[in-house]
Amino acid sequence: MAIKRRVPRIRELAPLIQFKRPQFDRIKRRLDAALTIEDLRRIARRRTPKAAFDYTDGAAEDELSIERARQAFRDIEFHPTILRDVTHVSTGWNVLGQPVAMPFGIAPTGFTRLMQTEGEIAGARAAAAAGIPFSLSTLATCAIEELTTAVPQGRKWFQLYMWRDRDRSMALVKRAADAGFDTMLVTVDVPVAGARLRDVRNGMSIPPALRLRTVLDALPHPHWWFDLLTTEPLAFASLDRWSGTVGEYLNTMFDPSVTFDDLVWIKSQWPGKLVVKGIQTFDDARAVVERGVDGVVLSNHGGRQLDRAPVPFHLLPSVARELGNDTEILLDTGIMSGADIVAAVALGARCTLVGRAYLYGLMAGGEAGVRRAIEILATGVTRTMRLLGVSCLEELSPKHVTQLRRLGPMP
């Protein structure tokens, strides 16, 4: 039967005609269009010179560790429960003695102002506004005291690399304690710097060198270079200036002689919570817990140290099952969504840390970009919890998640 046609009436068309109000703020327009952390990554790549972007995005050698870590989160199966009241969802609880609004915080990242001139201050402000912790790296481009002056509110954690000069290391620890930092993350997976080949190929130096290739790469990124050249010169604000490559700098600083016994010595000089970051085996997790630390971060340094290292997310269930009653377990490496965070909490993590995800937001739009990254992750956490049928973090358990493995050990 033929379809009968008619001329539409104006009053019927009117409700269908909706013109979106134009957004003249270019940064907001750009960030509103980003729906995922991967969207922010694509924006960051367009807006940032190659050397700076690769410093964030890259990993060690063949970059298998970071690829496997991200794949591990993709390779999960959720098991939702139904007919639960999830009108109201609570996403907060206590982490290391104080409340957080979400079960994730900002991981310590070095040389952050290289990515975008607002650097660590943008991250700390966004974290404080969201009610989550911000971690300041030993290799930060913002001094400890400068950060607390600029952002007096919010929880602040300090990440420590042990130097060959122990007195200088402890001087930094004292400065962090005096500035009110409540937790210290002692990173233990860096006896030497990893082989970050992107940085070597890009000639990544401190500060960036103006070679012919660098200048050519600068042409599509004038705003980045304007910010670099019209603000305080890049340097590790808590340390001395350095004119060599990042890898050379790290190898002069890291102390390869650090052992388990040094943790006791460090703990005796720190008044707050002490967490060991860089745990990659169950035996090492148990060893540091036996020495009285308050928490462990299961981490392979974002894949930036030993390539083909264990996937932290795969290690999480056994550590949580055996040690979860004795210590708080944190997790990083590979987290790109709120669903990833929920899966980690379900399998025993008290808190997760995000590094690259936050830096992609920073490069995409400064502080506003960091806020957008946090918003994307927080929205994902809430949505995933509702779809799983849980109304608070305490209700999450291993029954909600199955890890599917693509790679398994040979018999």
Side-chain angles (χ1 to χ4, degrees), residues 132-392:
I132 63 174
F134 174 83
S135 308
L136 184 71
S137 171
T138 296
L139 303 181
T141 45
C142 170
I144 293 168
E145 298 79 9
E146 180 186 358
L147 185 76
T148 53
T149 298
V151 192
Q153 69 279 18
R155 289 190 70 182
K156 298 176 185 65
W157 298 353
F158 181 71
Q159 176 269 332
L160 177 70
Y161 287 123
M162 278 301 295
W163 305 344
R164 298 169 190 267
D165 186 338
R166 300 294 179 90
D167 290 339
R168 293 186 68 202
S169 297
M170 290 303 105
L172 266 187
V173 168
K174 184 177 186 305
R175 285 169 59 187
D178 290 346
F181 285 61
D182 65 79
T183 296
M184 182 164 63
L185 309 175
V186 181
T187 299
V188 295
D189 56 0
V190 286
V192 296
R196 302 171 193 177
L197 302 185
R198 289 203 218 181
D199 293 347
V200 176
R201 292 178 180 125
N202 291 330
M204 171 64 184
S205 61
I206 311 166
L210 291 174
R211 302 181 180 89
L212 175 61
R213 184 173 61 179
T214 312
V215 172
L216 292 175
D217 187 44
L219 296 179
H221 311 103
H223 292 292
W224 187 93
W225 280 99
F226 177 78
D227 284 342
L228 174 71
L229 299 174
T230 59
T231 56
E232 182 68 20
L234 285 173
F236 294 128
S238 295
L239 310 173
D240 297 329
R241 295 177 184 268
W242 179 263
S243 59
T245 67
V246 174
E248 291 168 346
Y249 185 91
L250 299 182
N251 281 330
T252 65
M253 184 185 73
F254 294 153
D255 185 352
S257 70
V258 176
T259 67
F260 287 104
D261 293 337
D262 291 305
L263 289 178
V264 178
W265 177 69
I266 294 170
K267 184 175 173 59
S268 69
Q269 301 185 61
W270 174 252
K273 299 289 187 179
L274 184 73
V275 176
V276 177
K277 182 177 183 293
I279 298 296
Q280 299 175 65
T281 70
F282 172 78
D283 287 343
D284 282 347
R286 181 170 55 192
V288 299
V289 169
E290 288 173 349
R291 285 163 173 80
V293 303
D294 300 293
V296 297
V297 184
L298 306 182
S299 168
N300 64 25
H301 214 99
R304 295 164 70 84
Q305 284 296 107
L306 176 65
D307 203 15
R308 301 177 179 85
V311 175
F313 184 57
H314 285 165
L315 182 62
L316 174 61
S318 62
V319 174
R321 184 170 55 250
E322 299 297 328
L323 302 176
N325 292 330
D326 302 318
T327 194
E328 293 193 30
I329 301 166
L330 289 75
L331 179 91
D332 73 12
T333 306
I335 294 170
M336 291 285 281
S337 72
D340 298 345
I341 294 167
V342 170
V345 173
L347 292 181
R350 193 71 184 177
C351 185
T352 59
L353 298 175
V354 294
R356 287 182 179 89
Y358 132 68
L359 294 176
Y360 294 144
L362 180 67
M363 290 185 284
E367 182 181 337
V370 180
R371 288 176 184 260
R372 181 59 179 152
I374 293 172
E375 180 183 24
I376 289 170
L377 294 172
T379 300
V381 168
T382 303
R383 180 178 57 248
T384 304
M385 289 175 64
R386 282 197 165 112
L387 291 173
L388 285 174
V390 300
S391 59
C392 63

